[in-house]
């Protein structure tokens, strides 16, 4: 269950996933949204940014992060989460992850969660230079959980992309969708198909 989600590999391809996890999860990809959807054997869907999402591939310079910090510091309420010159070796600089206002499920009956449709905005990722990218859901269902840890440690969305940097967990509401991956993950493709379509 949840421990399995936390232990997921950070590798870029399916072949590197531990054998034990391959039995619990199926990976699907959205070419349009650059999202990896991991479907658990119980039907629940876990969403991650793919390594090719523009929020992770857009680079920043030291000068840009300085400018971004200066802009944000004009508004004390929005400057939290910005750390000057915190740039990874590949030039990326994740500054903030902000989720839209949503409800998540509670109780045994799993009630109260926001229903999301494909293409619904889940959150936005802001870089040190002020660039902002929307993260949208490629699937439909009820939000079981959003990863609040990203608001305190936004760089997890990159440094632990396929583990503690997950975006959200979605529960298909239709029983047939819950049991049938071809329905809950309709429109998504395999890793090989994704690589071909994305030119990887």
């Amino acid at each position: 269950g949840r421990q399995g989600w936390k232990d997921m590999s950070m590798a870029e391809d399916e072949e590197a996933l531990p054998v034990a996890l391959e039995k619990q999860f199926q990976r699907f990809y959205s070419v349009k949204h650059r999202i990896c959807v991991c479907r658990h054997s119980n039907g629940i869907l876990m969403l991650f940014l793919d390594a090719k999402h523009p929020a992770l591939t857009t680079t920043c310079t030291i000068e840009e992060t300085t400018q971004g910090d200066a802009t944000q510091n004009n508004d004390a309420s929005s400057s939290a989460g910005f750390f000057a010159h915190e740039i990874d070796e590949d030039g990326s600089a994740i500054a903030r992850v902000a989720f839209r206002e949503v409800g998540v499920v509670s109780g045994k009956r799993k009630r109260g969660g926001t229903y999301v449709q494909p293409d619904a905005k889940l959150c936005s990722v802001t870089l040190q230079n002020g660039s902002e990218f929307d993260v949208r859901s490629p699937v439909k269902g009820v939000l079981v959980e959003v990863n609040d840890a990203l608001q305190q440690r936004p760089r997890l969305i990159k440094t632990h992309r396929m583990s503690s940097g997950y975006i959200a967990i979605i529960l298909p509401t239709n029983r047939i969708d819950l049991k049938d991956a071809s329905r809950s993950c309709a429109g998504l493709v395999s890793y090989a198909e994704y690589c071909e379509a994305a030119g990887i």
Side-chain angles (χ1 to χ4, degrees):
R2 183 65 56 87
Q3 185 59 42
W5 299 341
K6 293 180 179 179
D7 291 342
M8 290 188 71
S9 170
M10 291 174 60
E12 297 300 320
D13 56 48
E14 290 185 311
E15 288 71 21
L17 277 176
V19 174
L21 292 182
E22 287 182 347
K23 296 179 180 179
Q24 299 179 40
F25 290 92
Q26 290 176 282
R27 279 194 187 191
F28 299 90
Y29 293 82
S30 169
V31 177
K32 175 182 177 181
H33 300 94
R34 291 291 195 262
I35 294 289
C36 172
V37 177
C38 288
R39 181 183 181 274
H40 193 268
S41 55
N42 63 13
I44 286 180
L45 308 174
M46 199 168 189
L47 276 56
F48 304 84
L49 278 193
D50 178 67
K52 296 300 181 181
H53 192 284
L56 302 184
T57 58
T58 302
T59 59
C60 299
T61 65
I62 293 293
E63 291 76 15
E64 286 178 325
T65 60
T66 302
Q67 293 171 2
D69 289 335
T71 299
Q72 292 299 323
N73 286 333
N74 290 331
D75 180 355
S77 64
S78 63
S79 63
F82 281 75
F83 305 96
H85 315 328
E86 194 171 275
I87 301 178
D88 294 326
E89 291 182 2
D90 60 3
S92 63
I94 306 296
R96 181 172 60 203
V97 176
F99 286 94
R100 52 173 282 201
E101 292 186 9
V102 294
V104 294
V105 299
S106 61
K108 293 182 178 180
R109 294 175 181 253
K110 299 293 187 289
R111 292 178 176 175
T114 296
Y115 186 82
V116 296
Q117 292 280 5
D119 208 39
K121 180 180 176 180
L122 296 173
C123 66
S124 60
V125 178
T126 305
L127 305 186
Q128 288 283 3
N129 64 2
S131 299
E132 185 173 297
F133 301 90
D134 288 342
V135 176
R136 297 182 177 275
S137 175
V139 294
K140 64 181 179 180
V142 172
L143 275 177
V144 174
E145 180 181 318
V146 295
N147 188 2
D148 289 332
L150 295 178
Q151 298 185 86
Q152 300 298 321
R153 302 175 63 193
R155 295 179 72 221
L156 286 175
I157 205 169
K158 176 179 176 62
T159 60
H160 293 73
R161 185 177 61 80
M162 291 302 296
S163 55
S164 55
Y166 72 94
I167 300 164
I169 299 172
I170 293 179
L171 174 68
T173 54
N174 185 297
R175 289 186 178 182
I176 298 177
D177 291 358
L178 192 63
K179 295 180 179 180
D180 188 349
S182 67
R183 290 175 59 99
S184 63
C185 297
L188 306 185
V189 298
S190 68
Y191 182 71
E193 293 171 319
Y194 177 76
C195 287
E196 182 177 357
I200 300 174

